[in-house]
Amino acid sequence: MANDNSSDTRVLGSHVHARLFNRHILQAKPHINRAERANTEQNVVSARKSVLCLDLDGTLPAKKLVFTRVRMIGSIIKLESVTMDDAAHELIYVDDGTGVVPFMLRTQFSNEDEELAIEENNQRLLAARDTHQTLVGITVEVLGSLRYSQYAHVPATDSEPILPSVWIECSHLSIKDDAMAETAAVFDILATYKFYFPRPASNGSAQAK
């Protein structure tokens, strides 16, 4: 974990994932550098990094977190088939109590390990569907990268689903059978937020140092 040039920015290494509440995942934006801006239309969907700006304690400037991968946990509330770039995809929507974020399983791979992970993710979902007859209500933990769509729009007909503006491209999926998994995750996330968005030291603390 490293800091950017500004003390108000926390940058996570590519091997470290951010643990965030869904409502904050929805607030994240693509983090595109100057070299990538000339090709924004391509990178807006698959930006290598994301940035989240939060003002948790009411003080300015807001704290920034720059990250490559994100991790969420919650309950599946619905599945939806959508078409993007002339290809069919299945979006799985997850609710953690603070917001709803969709994810889709990663389909492209560059090595055997990634191919194996994709197959394992599919098998986990199939097994859960066979066991429970449905995926709705199942608790899942999802690890992946945020993807942003310039194609998000209001549907032309009532039967056409609304395309999301952000989703997680899942690289690792875990089915949680422990009923307390989501509750435990809340405390873990709150603990990590203290590192992501540290509160400024009080005058007394500053003088003591």
Side-chain angles (χ1 to χ4, degrees), residues 120-188:
E120 289 178 344
N121 289 335
N122 279 294
Q123 291 300 322
R124 290 188 184 102
L125 281 182
L126 287 173
R129 198 191 301 262
D130 289 342
T131 301
H132 302 281
Q133 305 303 314
T134 178
L135 292 179
V136 175
I138 291 176
T139 300
V140 293
E141 188 169 52
V142 177
L143 175 64
S145 301
L146 290 186
R147 296 294 179 250
Y148 305 89
S149 175
Q150 71 264 47
Y151 305 116
H153 68 286
V154 177
T157 65
D158 292 338
S159 60
E160 181 185 354
I162 299 176
L163 297 183
S165 58
V166 60
W167 68 90
I168 297 177
E169 184 181 77
C170 174
S171 58
H172 183 77
L173 174 74
S174 177
I175 306 296
K176 298 295 183 181
D177 295 322
D178 185 355
M180 294 300 293
E182 285 189 71
T183 302
V186 169
F187 291 102
D188 288 343

Short mmCIF file of all heavy atoms in Angstrom, two decimals, residues 120-188:
data_model
loop_
_atom_site.label_atom_id
_atom_site.label_comp_id
_atom_site.label_asym_id
_atom_site.label_seq_id
_atom_site.Cartn_x
_atom_site.Cartn_y
_atom_site.Cartn_z
N GLU A 120 -13.70 -22.77 -12.48
CA GLU A 120 -14.08 -23.01 -11.09
C GLU A 120 -15.23 -22.09 -10.68
O GLU A 120 -16.15 -22.51 -9.96
CB GLU A 120 -12.88 -22.81 -10.17
CG GLU A 120 -11.83 -23.91 -10.30
CD GLU A 120 -10.62 -23.66 -9.41
OE1 GLU A 120 -10.47 -22.50 -8.95
OE2 GLU A 120 -9.83 -24.60 -9.21
N ASN A 121 -15.19 -20.85 -11.11
CA ASN A 121 -16.28 -19.91 -10.80
C ASN A 121 -17.60 -20.40 -11.38
O ASN A 121 -18.65 -20.37 -10.71
CB ASN A 121 -15.96 -18.52 -11.36
CG ASN A 121 -14.85 -17.83 -10.60
OD1 ASN A 121 -14.60 -18.11 -9.44
ND2 ASN A 121 -14.17 -16.91 -11.26
N ASN A 122 -17.56 -20.86 -12.62
CA ASN A 122 -18.78 -21.38 -13.25
C ASN A 122 -19.30 -22.61 -12.52
O ASN A 122 -20.52 -22.76 -12.32
CB ASN A 122 -18.49 -21.73 -14.71
CG ASN A 122 -18.53 -20.51 -15.62
OD1 ASN A 122 -19.56 -19.90 -15.82
ND2 ASN A 122 -17.39 -20.17 -16.19
N GLN A 123 -18.40 -23.49 -12.11
CA GLN A 123 -18.80 -24.70 -11.40
C GLN A 123 -19.41 -24.37 -10.04
O GLN A 123 -20.38 -25.02 -9.61
CB GLN A 123 -17.59 -25.63 -11.23
CG GLN A 123 -17.08 -26.25 -12.52
CD GLN A 123 -18.16 -27.08 -13.21
OE1 GLN A 123 -18.94 -27.77 -12.56
NE2 GLN A 123 -18.20 -27.00 -14.54
N ARG A 124 -18.88 -23.36 -9.35
CA ARG A 124 -19.44 -22.97 -8.06
C ARG A 124 -20.87 -22.46 -8.21
O ARG A 124 -21.74 -22.80 -7.41
CB ARG A 124 -18.56 -21.88 -7.42
CG ARG A 124 -17.20 -22.38 -6.96
CD ARG A 124 -16.46 -21.31 -6.15
NE ARG A 124 -15.13 -21.75 -5.79
CZ ARG A 124 -14.02 -21.35 -6.42
NH1 ARG A 124 -14.10 -20.49 -7.42
NH2 ARG A 124 -12.83 -21.81 -6.03
N LEU A 125 -21.11 -21.67 -9.24
CA LEU A 125 -22.46 -21.16 -9.46
C LEU A 125 -23.42 -22.28 -9.85
O LEU A 125 -24.56 -22.33 -9.39
CB LEU A 125 -22.45 -20.08 -10.54
CG LEU A 125 -22.00 -18.68 -10.12
CD1 LEU A 125 -22.10 -17.72 -11.29
CD2 LEU A 125 -22.81 -18.15 -8.94
N LEU A 126 -22.96 -23.19 -10.71
CA LEU A 126 -23.80 -24.31 -11.11
C LEU A 126 -24.15 -25.19 -9.92
O LEU A 126 -25.30 -25.63 -9.76
CB LEU A 126 -23.09 -25.13 -12.19
CG LEU A 126 -23.00 -24.50 -13.58
CD1 LEU A 126 -22.12 -25.36 -14.50
CD2 LEU A 126 -24.39 -24.33 -14.19
N ALA A 127 -23.17 -25.45 -9.06
CA ALA A 127 -23.40 -26.29 -7.88
C ALA A 127 -24.39 -25.61 -6.93
O ALA A 127 -25.28 -26.26 -6.37
CB ALA A 127 -22.09 -26.56 -7.16
N ALA A 128 -24.24 -24.30 -6.74
CA ALA A 128 -25.15 -23.57 -5.86
C ALA A 128 -26.56 -23.56 -6.43
O ALA A 128 -27.55 -23.71 -5.70
CB ALA A 128 -24.65 -22.14 -5.68
N ARG A 129 -26.67 -23.42 -7.74
CA ARG A 129 -27.99 -23.42 -8.38
C ARG A 129 -28.65 -24.79 -8.24
O ARG A 129 -29.86 -24.90 -7.99
CB ARG A 129 -27.86 -23.05 -9.86
CG ARG A 129 -29.17 -22.60 -10.51
CD ARG A 129 -29.00 -22.52 -12.02
NE ARG A 129 -27.98 -21.60 -12.42
CZ ARG A 129 -28.21 -20.35 -12.82
NH1 ARG A 129 -29.43 -19.88 -12.85
NH2 ARG A 129 -27.21 -19.58 -13.20
N ASP A 130 -27.87 -25.85 -8.40
CA ASP A 130 -28.41 -27.20 -8.26
C ASP A 130 -28.87 -27.48 -6.84
O ASP A 130 -29.89 -28.13 -6.60
CB ASP A 130 -27.36 -28.24 -8.68
CG ASP A 130 -27.11 -28.23 -10.17
OD1 ASP A 130 -27.95 -27.70 -10.91
OD2 ASP A 130 -26.06 -28.76 -10.59
N THR A 131 -28.10 -26.97 -5.86
CA THR A 131 -28.41 -27.22 -4.46
C THR A 131 -29.64 -26.46 -3.99
O THR A 131 -30.51 -27.00 -3.29
CB THR A 131 -27.21 -26.85 -3.57
OG1 THR A 131 -26.08 -27.63 -3.96
CG2 THR A 131 -27.53 -27.10 -2.10
N HIS A 132 -29.73 -25.20 -4.38
CA HIS A 132 -30.80 -24.33 -3.88
C HIS A 132 -31.91 -24.09 -4.89
O HIS A 132 -32.87 -23.37 -4.58
CB HIS A 132 -30.20 -22.98 -3.46
CG HIS A 132 -29.13 -23.09 -2.42
ND1 HIS A 132 -29.41 -23.27 -1.08
CD2 HIS A 132 -27.77 -23.07 -2.51
CE1 HIS A 132 -28.27 -23.33 -0.39
NE2 HIS A 132 -27.26 -23.21 -1.24
N GLN A 133 -31.79 -24.64 -6.08
CA GLN A 133 -32.76 -24.46 -7.16
C GLN A 133 -32.79 -23.05 -7.74
O GLN A 133 -33.41 -22.80 -8.76
CB GLN A 133 -34.18 -24.82 -6.68
CG GLN A 133 -34.29 -26.23 -6.10
CD GLN A 133 -33.84 -27.30 -7.09
OE1 GLN A 133 -34.21 -27.29 -8.25
NE2 GLN A 133 -33.01 -28.23 -6.60
N THR A 134 -32.15 -22.13 -7.07
CA THR A 134 -32.07 -20.75 -7.54
C THR A 134 -30.84 -20.10 -6.92
O THR A 134 -30.37 -20.52 -5.86
CB THR A 134 -33.33 -19.95 -7.15
OG1 THR A 134 -33.17 -18.59 -7.60
CG2 THR A 134 -33.52 -19.95 -5.65
N LEU A 135 -30.33 -19.06 -7.58
CA LEU A 135 -29.20 -18.32 -7.01
C LEU A 135 -29.67 -17.16 -6.15
O LEU A 135 -28.90 -16.62 -5.35
CB LEU A 135 -28.30 -17.79 -8.13
CG LEU A 135 -27.52 -18.85 -8.94
CD1 LEU A 135 -26.69 -18.17 -10.02
CD2 LEU A 135 -26.60 -19.65 -8.02
N VAL A 136 -30.92 -16.75 -6.32
CA VAL A 136 -31.46 -15.63 -5.55
C VAL A 136 -31.47 -15.98 -4.06
O VAL A 136 -31.97 -17.04 -3.67
CB VAL A 136 -32.87 -15.26 -6.03
CG1 VAL A 136 -33.49 -14.17 -5.14
CG2 VAL A 136 -32.83 -14.79 -7.48
N GLY A 137 -30.92 -15.09 -3.25
CA GLY A 137 -30.87 -15.31 -1.81
C GLY A 137 -29.54 -15.88 -1.33
O GLY A 137 -29.27 -15.88 -0.12
N ILE A 138 -28.72 -16.36 -2.24
CA ILE A 138 -27.43 -16.92 -1.87
C ILE A 138 -26.43 -15.80 -1.59
O ILE A 138 -26.40 -14.79 -2.28
CB ILE A 138 -26.89 -17.84 -3.00
CG1 ILE A 138 -27.76 -19.09 -3.10
CG2 ILE A 138 -25.44 -18.22 -2.77
CD1 ILE A 138 -27.38 -19.99 -4.24
N THR A 139 -25.60 -15.99 -0.56
CA THR A 139 -24.56 -15.02 -0.23
C THR A 139 -23.29 -15.35 -1.00
O THR A 139 -22.83 -16.50 -0.97
CB THR A 139 -24.27 -15.00 1.28
OG1 THR A 139 -25.46 -14.66 1.99
CG2 THR A 139 -23.18 -13.99 1.62
N VAL A 140 -22.74 -14.36 -1.68
CA VAL A 140 -21.53 -14.56 -2.47
C VAL A 140 -20.50 -13.49 -2.12
O VAL A 140 -20.83 -12.38 -1.73
CB VAL A 140 -21.80 -14.52 -3.99
CG1 VAL A 140 -22.65 -15.69 -4.42
CG2 VAL A 140 -22.46 -13.20 -4.38
N GLU A 141 -19.25 -13.87 -2.28
CA GLU A 141 -18.14 -12.91 -2.18
C GLU A 141 -17.48 -12.86 -3.55
O GLU A 141 -17.14 -13.90 -4.12
CB GLU A 141 -17.15 -13.33 -1.11
CG GLU A 141 -16.09 -12.28 -0.82
CD GLU A 141 -15.29 -12.62 0.43
OE1 GLU A 141 -14.78 -13.77 0.50
OE2 GLU A 141 -15.16 -11.77 1.32
N VAL A 142 -17.33 -11.65 -4.08
CA VAL A 142 -16.86 -11.46 -5.45
C VAL A 142 -15.59 -10.62 -5.44
O VAL A 142 -15.53 -9.58 -4.79
CB VAL A 142 -17.95 -10.77 -6.30
CG1 VAL A 142 -17.43 -10.49 -7.71
CG2 VAL A 142 -19.21 -11.61 -6.35
N LEU A 143 -14.60 -11.09 -6.18
CA LEU A 143 -13.35 -10.35 -6.34
C LEU A 143 -13.13 -10.10 -7.83
O LEU A 143 -13.28 -11.02 -8.64
CB LEU A 143 -12.17 -11.15 -5.78
CG LEU A 143 -10.76 -10.56 -5.99
CD1 LEU A 143 -10.63 -9.24 -5.25
CD2 LEU A 143 -9.70 -11.55 -5.54
N GLY A 144 -12.84 -8.87 -8.19
CA GLY A 144 -12.62 -8.57 -9.59
C GLY A 144 -12.30 -7.11 -9.83
O GLY A 144 -11.98 -6.36 -8.89
N SER A 145 -12.40 -6.69 -11.07
CA SER A 145 -12.10 -5.31 -11.47
C SER A 145 -13.38 -4.60 -11.89
O SER A 145 -14.27 -5.22 -12.48
CB SER A 145 -11.09 -5.30 -12.63
OG SER A 145 -9.89 -5.95 -12.25
N LEU A 146 -13.45 -3.31 -11.60
CA LEU A 146 -14.62 -2.54 -12.01
C LEU A 146 -14.56 -2.25 -13.50
O LEU A 146 -13.51 -1.96 -14.05
CB LEU A 146 -14.69 -1.22 -11.23
CG LEU A 146 -15.02 -1.32 -9.74
CD1 LEU A 146 -15.21 0.08 -9.16
CD2 LEU A 146 -16.26 -2.16 -9.50
N ARG A 147 -15.71 -2.34 -14.12
CA ARG A 147 -15.85 -2.01 -15.52
C ARG A 147 -16.94 -0.94 -15.66
O ARG A 147 -17.94 -0.98 -14.95
CB ARG A 147 -16.22 -3.25 -16.34
CG ARG A 147 -15.13 -4.32 -16.32
CD ARG A 147 -13.88 -3.84 -17.04
NE ARG A 147 -12.81 -4.82 -17.03
CZ ARG A 147 -11.68 -4.69 -16.34
NH1 ARG A 147 -11.50 -3.61 -15.57
NH2 ARG A 147 -10.75 -5.61 -16.40
N TYR A 148 -16.71 0.00 -16.55
CA TYR A 148 -17.62 1.13 -16.72
C TYR A 148 -18.12 1.15 -18.15
O TYR A 148 -17.35 0.95 -19.09
CB TYR A 148 -16.90 2.44 -16.41
CG TYR A 148 -16.26 2.47 -15.05
CD1 TYR A 148 -14.97 2.01 -14.86
CD2 TYR A 148 -16.96 2.93 -13.94
CE1 TYR A 148 -14.37 2.02 -13.61
CE2 TYR A 148 -16.37 2.95 -12.68
CZ TYR A 148 -15.08 2.49 -12.53
OH TYR A 148 -14.50 2.50 -11.28
N SER A 149 -19.41 1.40 -18.31
CA SER A 149 -19.99 1.35 -19.65
C SER A 149 -20.47 2.70 -20.12
O SER A 149 -21.21 3.39 -19.41
CB SER A 149 -21.16 0.36 -19.67
OG SER A 149 -21.80 0.38 -20.93
N GLN A 150 -20.05 3.09 -21.31
CA GLN A 150 -20.57 4.31 -21.93
C GLN A 150 -21.89 4.04 -22.61
O GLN A 150 -22.50 4.93 -23.18
CB GLN A 150 -19.58 4.90 -22.94
CG GLN A 150 -19.43 4.10 -24.23
CD GLN A 150 -18.24 3.17 -24.20
OE1 GLN A 150 -18.07 2.46 -23.22
NE2 GLN A 150 -17.45 3.17 -25.24
N TYR A 151 -22.36 2.77 -22.53
CA TYR A 151 -23.59 2.40 -23.20
C TYR A 151 -24.79 2.38 -22.27
O TYR A 151 -25.89 2.02 -22.68
CB TYR A 151 -23.45 1.02 -23.85
CG TYR A 151 -22.28 0.93 -24.78
CD1 TYR A 151 -21.23 0.07 -24.52
CD2 TYR A 151 -22.21 1.72 -25.93
CE1 TYR A 151 -20.14 -0.01 -25.37
CE2 TYR A 151 -21.13 1.65 -26.78
CZ TYR A 151 -20.09 0.77 -26.49
OH TYR A 151 -19.01 0.70 -27.32
N ALA A 152 -24.60 2.73 -21.00
CA ALA A 152 -25.72 2.73 -20.06
C ALA A 152 -26.79 3.70 -20.56
O ALA A 152 -26.50 4.82 -20.97
CB ALA A 152 -25.25 3.16 -18.68
N HIS A 153 -28.04 3.27 -20.56
CA HIS A 153 -29.11 4.10 -21.09
C HIS A 153 -30.45 3.67 -20.53
O HIS A 153 -30.59 2.59 -19.97
CB HIS A 153 -29.14 4.02 -22.62
CG HIS A 153 -29.56 2.66 -23.11
ND1 HIS A 153 -28.73 1.57 -23.06
CD2 HIS A 153 -30.72 2.22 -23.64
CE1 HIS A 153 -29.36 0.51 -23.55
NE2 HIS A 153 -30.57 0.87 -23.90
N VAL A 154 -31.43 4.53 -20.69
CA VAL A 154 -32.80 4.18 -20.32
C VAL A 154 -33.36 3.29 -21.42
O VAL A 154 -33.23 3.61 -22.60
CB VAL A 154 -33.66 5.44 -20.17
CG1 VAL A 154 -35.10 5.07 -19.86
CG2 VAL A 154 -33.08 6.34 -19.08
N PRO A 155 -33.96 2.15 -21.08
CA PRO A 155 -34.45 1.24 -22.11
C PRO A 155 -35.55 1.84 -22.97
O PRO A 155 -36.35 2.66 -22.51
CB PRO A 155 -34.96 0.04 -21.30
CG PRO A 155 -35.28 0.61 -19.96
CD PRO A 155 -34.25 1.68 -19.72
N ALA A 156 -35.58 1.42 -24.23
CA ALA A 156 -36.59 1.92 -25.15
C ALA A 156 -37.95 1.28 -24.90
O ALA A 156 -38.99 1.86 -25.18
CB ALA A 156 -36.14 1.67 -26.59
N THR A 157 -37.94 0.06 -24.35
CA THR A 157 -39.19 -0.64 -24.06
C THR A 157 -39.14 -1.17 -22.63
O THR A 157 -38.08 -1.29 -22.02
CB THR A 157 -39.39 -1.82 -25.02
OG1 THR A 157 -38.35 -2.80 -24.80
CG2 THR A 157 -39.34 -1.35 -26.47
N ASP A 158 -40.33 -1.49 -22.09
CA ASP A 158 -40.39 -2.00 -20.72
C ASP A 158 -39.69 -3.34 -20.57
O ASP A 158 -39.24 -3.70 -19.48
CB ASP A 158 -41.86 -2.13 -20.28
CG ASP A 158 -42.54 -0.78 -20.15
OD1 ASP A 158 -41.82 0.22 -19.97
OD2 ASP A 158 -43.78 -0.73 -20.23
N SER A 159 -39.62 -4.11 -21.65
CA SER A 159 -39.01 -5.44 -21.58
C SER A 159 -37.49 -5.39 -21.70
O SER A 159 -36.82 -6.37 -21.41
CB SER A 159 -39.58 -6.32 -22.69
OG SER A 159 -39.30 -5.77 -23.97
N GLU A 160 -36.94 -4.26 -22.11
CA GLU A 160 -35.49 -4.15 -22.28
C GLU A 160 -34.84 -3.76 -20.96
O GLU A 160 -35.23 -2.78 -20.33
CB GLU A 160 -35.17 -3.09 -23.33
CG GLU A 160 -33.67 -2.93 -23.58
CD GLU A 160 -33.38 -1.78 -24.55
OE1 GLU A 160 -34.34 -1.21 -25.09
OE2 GLU A 160 -32.19 -1.47 -24.74
N PRO A 161 -33.86 -4.53 -20.47
CA PRO A 161 -33.22 -4.21 -19.18
C PRO A 161 -32.37 -2.96 -19.28
O PRO A 161 -31.86 -2.61 -20.34
CB PRO A 161 -32.35 -5.44 -18.90
CG PRO A 161 -32.05 -6.00 -20.25
CD PRO A 161 -33.29 -5.75 -21.07
N ILE A 162 -32.25 -2.26 -18.15
CA ILE A 162 -31.38 -1.09 -18.08
C ILE A 162 -29.94 -1.56 -17.96
O ILE A 162 -29.60 -2.34 -17.06
CB ILE A 162 -31.74 -0.22 -16.86
CG1 ILE A 162 -33.18 0.28 -16.98
CG2 ILE A 162 -30.78 0.95 -16.75
CD1 ILE A 162 -33.65 1.07 -15.77
N LEU A 163 -29.09 -1.13 -18.87
CA LEU A 163 -27.69 -1.51 -18.80
C LEU A 163 -27.02 -0.74 -17.68
O LEU A 163 -27.22 0.46 -17.52
CB LEU A 163 -27.00 -1.22 -20.12
CG LEU A 163 -27.51 -1.98 -21.34
CD1 LEU A 163 -26.67 -1.62 -22.57
CD2 LEU A 163 -27.47 -3.47 -21.11
N PRO A 164 -26.22 -1.41 -16.86
CA PRO A 164 -25.57 -0.72 -15.74
C PRO A 164 -24.43 0.17 -16.22
O PRO A 164 -23.83 -0.07 -17.27
CB PRO A 164 -25.04 -1.88 -14.89
CG PRO A 164 -24.76 -2.96 -15.89
CD PRO A 164 -25.86 -2.84 -16.92
N SER A 165 -24.13 1.19 -15.43
CA SER A 165 -23.00 2.05 -15.75
C SER A 165 -21.71 1.52 -15.14
O SER A 165 -20.61 1.90 -15.55
CB SER A 165 -23.26 3.48 -15.26
OG SER A 165 -23.50 3.48 -13.86
N VAL A 166 -21.83 0.63 -14.16
CA VAL A 166 -20.65 0.04 -13.52
C VAL A 166 -20.99 -1.38 -13.08
O VAL A 166 -22.12 -1.65 -12.66
CB VAL A 166 -20.18 0.90 -12.32
CG1 VAL A 166 -21.27 1.00 -11.27
CG2 VAL A 166 -18.90 0.32 -11.70
N TRP A 167 -20.04 -2.27 -13.18
CA TRP A 167 -20.20 -3.63 -12.68
C TRP A 167 -18.82 -4.20 -12.38
O TRP A 167 -17.79 -3.60 -12.69
CB TRP A 167 -20.93 -4.52 -13.71
CG TRP A 167 -20.15 -4.80 -14.97
CD1 TRP A 167 -19.30 -5.82 -15.22
CD2 TRP A 167 -20.15 -3.99 -16.16
NE1 TRP A 167 -18.78 -5.74 -16.49
CE2 TRP A 167 -19.29 -4.61 -17.09
CE3 TRP A 167 -20.80 -2.82 -16.54
CZ2 TRP A 167 -19.05 -4.10 -18.36
CZ3 TRP A 167 -20.57 -2.31 -17.81
CH2 TRP A 167 -19.71 -2.95 -18.70
N ILE A 168 -18.81 -5.37 -11.74
CA ILE A 168 -17.55 -6.04 -11.43
C ILE A 168 -17.34 -7.19 -12.41
O ILE A 168 -18.24 -8.01 -12.60
CB ILE A 168 -17.53 -6.59 -9.99
CG1 ILE A 168 -17.63 -5.45 -8.98
CG2 ILE A 168 -16.27 -7.42 -9.73
CD1 ILE A 168 -17.70 -5.91 -7.54
N GLU A 169 -16.19 -7.20 -13.06
CA GLU A 169 -15.81 -8.35 -13.87
C GLU A 169 -15.14 -9.34 -12.92
O GLU A 169 -14.01 -9.13 -12.49
CB GLU A 169 -14.86 -7.92 -14.99
CG GLU A 169 -14.51 -9.07 -15.93
CD GLU A 169 -13.55 -8.63 -17.02
OE1 GLU A 169 -12.36 -8.48 -16.72
OE2 GLU A 169 -14.00 -8.42 -18.16
N CYS A 170 -15.85 -10.39 -12.59
CA CYS A 170 -15.44 -11.31 -11.52
C CYS A 170 -14.31 -12.24 -11.96
O CYS A 170 -14.42 -12.95 -12.95
CB CYS A 170 -16.65 -12.13 -11.08
SG CYS A 170 -16.27 -13.43 -9.90
N SER A 171 -13.23 -12.24 -11.18
CA SER A 171 -12.13 -13.16 -11.42
C SER A 171 -12.11 -14.29 -10.39
O SER A 171 -11.51 -15.34 -10.62
CB SER A 171 -10.78 -12.42 -11.38
OG SER A 171 -10.60 -11.77 -10.13
N HIS A 172 -12.78 -14.06 -9.25
CA HIS A 172 -12.87 -15.11 -8.22
C HIS A 172 -14.20 -14.99 -7.50
O HIS A 172 -14.62 -13.90 -7.12
CB HIS A 172 -11.73 -15.01 -7.21
CG HIS A 172 -11.76 -16.10 -6.19
ND1 HIS A 172 -11.32 -17.38 -6.45
CD2 HIS A 172 -12.22 -16.12 -4.92
CE1 HIS A 172 -11.48 -18.13 -5.38
NE2 HIS A 172 -12.03 -17.40 -4.44
N LEU A 173 -14.85 -16.13 -7.30
CA LEU A 173 -16.17 -16.17 -6.68
C LEU A 173 -16.18 -17.20 -5.56
O LEU A 173 -15.64 -18.29 -5.71
CB LEU A 173 -17.21 -16.55 -7.74
CG LEU A 173 -18.64 -16.78 -7.26
CD1 LEU A 173 -19.29 -15.44 -6.91
CD2 LEU A 173 -19.46 -17.50 -8.32
N SER A 174 -16.81 -16.82 -4.45
CA SER A 174 -16.93 -17.73 -3.31
C SER A 174 -18.36 -17.73 -2.82
O SER A 174 -18.98 -16.67 -2.66
CB SER A 174 -15.98 -17.29 -2.18
OG SER A 174 -16.14 -18.12 -1.05
N ILE A 175 -18.93 -18.92 -2.64
CA ILE A 175 -20.28 -19.07 -2.08
C ILE A 175 -20.17 -19.16 -0.57
O ILE A 175 -19.41 -19.98 -0.04
CB ILE A 175 -20.98 -20.33 -2.63
CG1 ILE A 175 -20.96 -20.34 -4.16
CG2 ILE A 175 -22.40 -20.41 -2.09
CD1 ILE A 175 -21.74 -19.22 -4.80
N LYS A 176 -20.91 -18.32 0.16
CA LYS A 176 -20.83 -18.28 1.61
C LYS A 176 -22.06 -18.98 2.22
O LYS A 176 -23.19 -18.53 2.04
CB LYS A 176 -20.76 -16.83 2.10
CG LYS A 176 -19.52 -16.08 1.62
CD LYS A 176 -18.25 -16.69 2.18
CE LYS A 176 -17.03 -15.92 1.76
NZ LYS A 176 -15.78 -16.53 2.28
N ASP A 177 -21.81 -20.06 2.94
CA ASP A 177 -22.90 -20.78 3.61
C ASP A 177 -23.12 -20.30 5.04
O ASP A 177 -24.16 -20.58 5.64
CB ASP A 177 -22.59 -22.29 3.62
CG ASP A 177 -22.56 -22.87 2.21
OD1 ASP A 177 -23.39 -22.45 1.38
OD2 ASP A 177 -21.70 -23.73 1.95
N ASP A 178 -22.13 -19.60 5.61
CA ASP A 178 -22.23 -19.08 6.97
C ASP A 178 -23.20 -17.91 7.00
O ASP A 178 -23.01 -16.90 6.30
CB ASP A 178 -20.85 -18.64 7.46
CG ASP A 178 -20.86 -18.20 8.92
OD1 ASP A 178 -21.96 -18.14 9.52
OD2 ASP A 178 -19.78 -17.90 9.46
N ALA A 179 -24.24 -18.02 7.81
CA ALA A 179 -25.26 -16.97 7.89
C ALA A 179 -24.70 -15.65 8.42
O ALA A 179 -25.28 -14.59 8.19
CB ALA A 179 -26.41 -17.44 8.77
N MET A 180 -23.56 -15.72 9.12
CA MET A 180 -22.97 -14.52 9.70
C MET A 180 -21.88 -13.91 8.83
O MET A 180 -21.23 -12.94 9.22
CB MET A 180 -22.38 -14.86 11.08
CG MET A 180 -23.42 -15.26 12.12
SD MET A 180 -24.63 -13.94 12.42
CE MET A 180 -23.58 -12.71 13.18
N ALA A 181 -21.68 -14.46 7.64
CA ALA A 181 -20.59 -14.00 6.77
C ALA A 181 -20.72 -12.52 6.43
O ALA A 181 -19.74 -11.77 6.47
CB ALA A 181 -20.54 -14.83 5.50
N GLU A 182 -21.94 -12.08 6.09
CA GLU A 182 -22.13 -10.68 5.72
C GLU A 182 -21.90 -9.75 6.92
O GLU A 182 -21.31 -8.68 6.78
CB GLU A 182 -23.53 -10.46 5.16
CG GLU A 182 -23.74 -10.98 3.75
CD GLU A 182 -25.07 -10.54 3.17
OE1 GLU A 182 -25.21 -9.34 2.88
OE2 GLU A 182 -25.95 -11.40 3.02
N THR A 183 -22.38 -10.17 8.09
CA THR A 183 -22.21 -9.35 9.29
C THR A 183 -20.74 -9.20 9.63
O THR A 183 -20.27 -8.10 9.95
CB THR A 183 -22.96 -9.97 10.48
OG1 THR A 183 -24.35 -10.09 10.15
CG2 THR A 183 -22.80 -9.12 11.73
N ALA A 184 -19.99 -10.31 9.56
CA ALA A 184 -18.56 -10.25 9.86
C ALA A 184 -17.83 -9.37 8.86
O ALA A 184 -16.90 -8.64 9.22
CB ALA A 184 -17.97 -11.67 9.83
N ALA A 185 -18.28 -9.40 7.60
CA ALA A 185 -17.64 -8.60 6.56
C ALA A 185 -17.80 -7.10 6.84
O ALA A 185 -16.90 -6.31 6.55
CB ALA A 185 -18.23 -8.95 5.20
N VAL A 186 -18.95 -6.70 7.41
CA VAL A 186 -19.17 -5.29 7.71
C VAL A 186 -18.09 -4.77 8.65
O VAL A 186 -17.52 -3.69 8.43
CB VAL A 186 -20.57 -5.08 8.34
CG1 VAL A 186 -20.70 -3.66 8.90
CG2 VAL A 186 -21.65 -5.35 7.31
N PHE A 187 -17.77 -5.52 9.69
CA PHE A 187 -16.76 -5.09 10.65
C PHE A 187 -15.37 -5.07 10.00
O PHE A 187 -14.56 -4.17 10.28
CB PHE A 187 -16.76 -6.02 11.86
CG PHE A 187 -18.00 -5.88 12.72
CD1 PHE A 187 -19.02 -6.81 12.64
CD2 PHE A 187 -18.15 -4.81 13.59
CE1 PHE A 187 -20.17 -6.68 13.41
CE2 PHE A 187 -19.28 -4.67 14.37
CZ PHE A 187 -20.30 -5.60 14.28
N ASP A 188 -15.09 -6.03 9.14
CA ASP A 188 -13.81 -6.05 8.44
C ASP A 188 -13.66 -4.83 7.53
O ASP A 188 -12.60 -4.21 7.46
CB ASP A 188 -13.68 -7.33 7.60
CG ASP A 188 -13.48 -8.57 8.46
OD1 ASP A 188 -13.11 -8.41 9.64
OD2 ASP A 188 -13.69 -9.68 7.94
#
